[in-house]
């Protein structure tokens, strides 16, 4: 027995299996921008949420590291101050002279008929007033190294003064040893000698 299919739809709707491509394209053209827009909004919202979470995590890490950073900055400052102090100490050490040893050598250099009556140790160099960068002149001159020795004394004879000058020249401390003045007095010959202290820097 054969079966018959009866289609009661109007003729326009009786076409089976036929796709209206034009209508489908129009529908897709209308829906696609909306879908793309919704997709972009969703993607933006997801990215925004991820970025917010990362930013919150970064801020939390920064807050946790802040005390350690403050301690590190304090250590860096302290190290800089210590290095500056060490540099000043080294500068003082470079400028240091054992004046007790110098005075002993002066006593040994003096002939038997010559004695010293005065001694002046000072810095007579015009370059002493040089100021270290970022510091005042008063601070820079606190550690100024003496560079001139002035000796006054009395000798029984003029040759003894010459011997004393020669021995001063032979000492490792001085250069430019000069006889500034000599006068006859009751005790003999009064004299003054200056000597420039060698720069050991």
């Amino acid at each position: 027995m054969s079966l018959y299919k009866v289609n009661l739809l109007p003729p326009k709707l009786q076409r089976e299996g036929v796709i209206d491509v034009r209508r489908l394209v129009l529908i897709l053209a209308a829906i696609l921008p909306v879908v793309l827009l919704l997709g972009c909004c969703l993607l933006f919202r997801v990215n925004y949420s991820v970025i917010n979470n990362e930013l919150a995590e970064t801020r939390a890490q920064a807050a946790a590291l802040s005390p350690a950073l403050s301690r590190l900055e304090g250590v860096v400052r302290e190290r800089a101050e210590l290095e500056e102090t060490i540099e000043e100490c080294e500068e003082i050490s470079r400028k240091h002279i054992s004046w007790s040893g110098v005075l002993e050598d002066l006593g040994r250099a003096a002939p038997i008929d010559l004695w010293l009556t005065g001694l002046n140790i000072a810095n007579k160099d015009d370059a002493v007033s040089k100021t270290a960068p970022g510091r005042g002149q008063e601070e820079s001159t606190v550690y100024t190294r003496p560079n001139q020795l002035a000796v006054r004394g009395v000798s029984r004879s003029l040759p003894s003064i010459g011997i004393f000058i020669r021995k001063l020249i032979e000492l490792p401390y001085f250069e430019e040893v000069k006889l500034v003045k000599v006068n006859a007095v009751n005790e003999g010959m009064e004299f003054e000698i200056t000597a420039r202290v060698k720069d050991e820097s």
Side-chain angles (χ1 to χ4, degrees), residues 16-188:
E16 296 180 1
V18 178
I19 299 175
D20 190 348
V21 176
R22 182 179 176 186
R23 185 179 178 188
L24 182 61
V25 169
L26 291 175
I27 293 172
L28 289 176
I31 294 175
L32 188 60
V34 177
V35 172
L36 290 176
L37 181 61
L38 291 175
C40 290
C41 291
L42 181 62
L43 182 62
F44 174 78
R45 187 167 185 81
V46 171
N47 286 338
Y48 180 76
S49 177
V50 171
I51 291 173
N52 268 347
N53 291 337
E54 291 179 351
L55 182 60
E57 185 178 352
T58 302
R59 286 175 177 170
Q61 291 176 353
L65 292 175
S66 179
L69 181 60
S70 298
R71 288 194 297 269
L72 179 61
E73 290 175 349
V75 170
V76 171
R77 284 194 301 269
E78 184 177 352
R79 178 175 177 178
E81 292 172 359
L82 287 175
E83 288 177 349
E84 184 177 351
T85 302
I86 290 172
E87 184 178 349
E88 290 180 357
C89 291
E90 290 176 349
E91 182 69 15
I92 294 171
S93 178
R94 285 194 298 268
K95 294 177 178 179
H96 175 71
I97 293 179
S98 177
W99 288 105
S100 60
V102 174
L103 296 177
E104 290 177 2
D105 288 343
L106 285 177
R108 284 193 288 267
I112 194 170
D113 63 341
L114 182 148
W115 61 95
L116 303 180
T117 60
L119 183 66
N120 184 36
I121 301 170
N123 193 304
K124 301 295 184 181
D125 198 342
D126 292 337
V128 171
S129 59
K130 289 182 179 178
T131 302
R135 299 185 184 179
Q137 181 173 337
E138 292 181 1
E139 183 179 354
S140 66
T141 57
V142 170
Y143 308 117
T144 298
R145 183 176 184 270
N147 65 356
Q148 182 171 292
L149 176 74
V151 178
R152 293 183 299 278
V154 178
S155 174
R156 296 292 184 186
S157 63
L158 193 60
S160 293
I161 298 175
I163 293 171
F164 182 55
I165 291 174
R166 181 175 58 80
K167 289 186 176 181
L168 289 179
I169 294 172
E170 293 173 356
L171 290 176
Y173 317 111
F174 308 119
E175 59 187 358
E176 299 179 16
V177 180
K178 298 177 182 178
L179 178 62
V180 177
K181 66 180 180 180
V182 58
N183 298 318
V185 293
N186 294 334
E187 296 84 358

